[in-house]
Amino acid sequence: MANVKNKTRQPGRIAIDGELTIYTALELKEKLLAGLAEAEALELDLSEVGEIDAAGLQLLVMIKQQATETGKALSFTGHSPVVVELLDLSGLAGFFGDPLLIVRKPT
């Protein structure tokens, strides 16, 4: 189960804790859209995401597109290892445009 937190009680900052999967996407969608509607700029902290699947990735794409369409700033921060892995596999890191460090071990 995923939880949406506002760790610092600041409007414009949401942290996702837990799953970002098909099982939590609908609930998270509503909370993310509400958070985006309430602020001119939204920071989405992904540091505590423990599991993400294609539905979670679609949710991130949707919220990024919604922010662009409404002229609001959206940034993703604290990418957890599973988020980094999925962004790497999907080739979508550039789409989100946020700083992301991917370190690969030499083979």
Side-chain angles (χ1 to χ4, degrees):
M1 182 69 163
N3 294 313
V4 173
K5 297 180 186 178
N6 187 334
K7 292 179 183 177
T8 59
R9 300 282 182 218
Q10 296 174 343
R13 185 169 193 288
I14 295 175
I16 298 177
D17 183 14
E19 294 179 16
L20 187 51
T21 66
I22 192 169
Y23 302 109
T24 61
L26 184 59
E27 176 186 351
L28 289 173
K29 177 183 176 183
E30 294 170 4
K31 292 178 180 179
L32 294 178
L33 288 173
L36 188 62
E38 293 172 3
E40 287 302 311
L42 180 63
E43 175 188 338
L44 188 56
D45 181 349
L46 304 173
S47 62
E48 298 299 321
V49 174
E51 184 178 352
I52 185 169
D53 64 9
L57 183 59
Q58 288 175 328
L59 183 61
L60 296 180
V61 168
M62 180 278 306
I63 197 70
K64 183 69 170 184
Q65 289 175 330
Q66 186 68 28
T68 301
E69 289 173 10
T70 58
K72 299 201 176 182
L74 175 67
S75 61
F76 298 93
T77 61
H79 304 76
S80 72
V82 296
V83 172
V84 170
E85 183 179 0
L86 186 58
L87 290 177
D88 187 32
L89 287 172
S90 69
L92 288 174
F95 168 79
F96 293 105
D98 295 297
L100 179 64
L101 177 63
I102 299 176
V103 179
R104 293 192 181 269
K105 294 180 182 177
T107 55

